[in-house]
Each structure stands twice: as C-alpha cells, then as structure tokens.
Amino acid sequence: MRKKIVAGNWKMNTTVPEGVELAKAVVAKSAEVPADVKLIVATPFTHLCPVAQVLEGSSVSLSAENCADQEKGAYTGEVSAAMLASAGCEYTILGHSERRQYYGETDEKLVAKTRLALANGLKVILCVGEKLEEREAGKHFDVCEAQIKHVLYQFTEADMQRIVIAYEPVWAIGTGKTATAEQAEEIHAFIRKVVAGKFGAAVADDMSILYGGSCKPSNARELFAQPDIDGGLIGGAALKADDFIAIARSY
Ligand code: 13P
C-alpha cells in the first residue's frame, strides 16, 4: 500500500541553530501524528549533519533539497548524492520548480541526478507542476505528462519503488493560492495514469503522489481526503513545527 507522507521543504530558510531547534520541535511533536504518516524534513545542505543527529532514533526522516548531477570531482560548490547519503539523508528532493526556474534545471539533468541519487541508496521526491500561464492555456496536463515522461520513463519498475512524485503547481507556491481539492485530485489522478501507462497499474497504485503549494493546516484535510493525494510537500508552513504537525495530523 502506498505511503502517506508529509514532507517539509525548508528551502533557503533558518540558520543552523534555528534549523536544529525546528527539527527538535518536530521530533518532540511527532508522536501526535498518526503512525502511518511518514514525516520528512528537507533542509539546506549546511543543516543536514546536525539535523541528522536530532532525528536519530525518531520516526522523522531526513531529506536534502537537491543534489549534484555529477558523481564527484572538480565541481566547486556542488554536493553529491554520496555525500548526502553519508550525511544521513534518506531522501532528496529533485526538480523543484524553483530550481527549474532559477538554476536552469533541465529534465536531462534531472535524469542524471535521479540516477545518482538512486545509485547511492537515496529515495527521490521528484517535483512536477505547471506555471500559471500554462494552467491558463489549459496545458497543465501536457506539461506534467512531459516532465514525468522525460525523467521517470528513463527508470525501471524497481526504481519506481524509491521515487515519490510531488505535484506543485508553480502558481500556488508561496502565493497563498492553493489548488482546490478538485483541481489537485484531477491532476494527481492523471499523473497516476501517466505512471501506469509505462509501469502498469500496480506500480502506479503503489506510488505516493504529494501535493505542494500553499498547503496549510486550514486546507490540508480537504486535500488529503482526495483518493489520489497521498500527502504534502510543505514550504512556508513547515517552518513552524506546530503548523507542520497540524498538517500531518489532518489525516
Ligand atoms: P509553499 O508551501 O510555501 O507554497 O511551498 C510549497 C513548496 O514549494 C514545497 O516544496
């Protein structure tokens, strides 16, 4: 059965001491969350090692927000998948729209990154989603389908067991505008169909598909109640332990 997941993407927020405090608060409250809901915190690279220590022995998993598209060597400023695994990461987010938009992340790079992440034992949270103008032009299905085909169709059925998809409409990220539960469910069901098209219904049924974009305690319950929404990738609201936990308790 597919996992229910609530993951916090801290983005470029908090200093190391602030991040450690936030992680401690999440761990302290994690017992309030139903046991079948997996909690993940995705932190900046600088925070991974100290946060890994905080999470040790808890049920909360650690994720990075990105990884390099090269294995190792002369790539100044990059952080490899092997480094992330050795720092205690179980997951890495890849293909977040902010990386696609500001840092030239292409689908080709995402194939390389996903390959390296999986080869180093990491699980991947792959983000897909359309921009506002694409939604307004009615192209959101095509955009998400292309992003999935270009990246995930390069992988095997076995790889898919270690990949989670996050649908994050760009127009809903950090804007306060959430996709309605119906809009989100419609595209989640479509994404599951696209996955089934290549890997079959059993793999698609097993795949967790998370919603991201202005998800907060007040709207999480309705979103998570949809049959094809298996949790959330939370930005702003993950920076407050109370809100993050309240979202996870919405199940
Ligand atoms: P917000 O929850 O701040 O809209 O961000 C969502 C997101 O981008 C998570 O990756």
Side-chain angles (χ1 to χ4, degrees):
M1 220 185 68
R2 59 191 185 239
K3 268 202 193 96
K4 298 172 184 173
I5 296 173
V6 176
N9 176 9
W10 295 1
K11 308 192 180 184
M12 198 172 73
N13 291 299
T14 74
T15 60
V16 174
E18 287 164 353
V20 165
E21 286 313 304
L22 177 55
K24 283 184 183 164
V26 169
V27 169
K29 291 169 193 291
S30 58
E32 299 170 17
V33 173
D36 60 343
V37 179
K38 170 110 217 105
L39 290 178
I40 301 172
V41 292
T43 84
F45 292 138
T46 43
H47 300 37
L48 292 171
C49 286
V51 169
Q53 281 177 359
V54 173
L55 302 186
E56 211 173 301
S58 81
S59 58
V60 184
S61 293
L62 183 63
S63 175
E65 300 176 11
N66 180 32
C67 81
D69 60 348
Q70 302 289 334
E71 196 178 342
K72 64 177 190 173
Y75 299 100
T76 302
E78 289 295 304
V79 176
S80 74
M83 292 172 189
L84 298 181
S86 72
C89 286
E90 185 179 339
Y91 292 84
T92 184
I93 296 173
L94 291 177
H96 193 281
S97 62
E98 287 148 15
R99 297 220 50 91
R100 293 182 193 255
Q101 191 174 348
Y102 307 135
Y103 301 99
E105 194 110 304
T106 59
D107 287 337
E108 279 114 63
K109 278 193 192 163
L110 287 172
V111 172
K113 290 182 177 202
T114 303
R115 219 178 277 298
L116 286 163
L118 294 176
N120 283 282
L122 297 171
K123 297 174 188 146
V124 170
I125 302 171
L126 180 78
C127 302
V128 301
E130 80 284 354
K131 301 190 186 107
L132 181 61
E133 58 271 26
E134 293 164 337
R135 161 81 47 178
E136 285 174 345
K139 291 189 183 146
H140 43 297
F141 293 109
D142 293 347
V143 169
C144 293
E145 181 169 12
Q147 288 171 338
I148 289 169
K149 285 191 169 167
H150 293 160
V151 182
L152 291 187
Y153 274 28
Q154 315 308 314
F155 292 88
T156 67
E157 212 177 295
D159 293 334
M160 294 299 279
Q161 318 293 323
R162 295 195 291 132
I163 296 174
V164 171
I165 296 177
Y167 167 67
E168 300 206 307
V170 179
W171 48 271
I173 296 176
T175 59
K177 270 191 218 164
T178 322
T180 64
E182 293 73 32
Q183 282 174 324
E185 170 57 23
E186 178 184 42
I187 197 135
H188 278 235
F190 172 78
I191 288 169
R192 203 177 298 286
K193 228 170 61 190
V194 174
V195 171
K198 164 88 175 167
F199 300 101
V203 170
D205 264 357
D206 243 21
M207 169 127 234
S208 299
I209 307 177
L210 314 184
Y211 170 79
S214 300
C215 187
K216 37 190 186 266
S218 58
N219 59 26
R221 188 177 296 274
E222 201 191 349
L223 287 160
F224 296 171
Q226 304 303 314
D228 288 291
I229 299 182
D230 307 309
L233 183 54
I234 319 300
L239 296 172
K240 289 199 186 120
D242 283 342
D243 286 352
F244 182 58
I245 295 295
I247 290 171
R249 289 182 64 178
S250 303
Y251 262 119

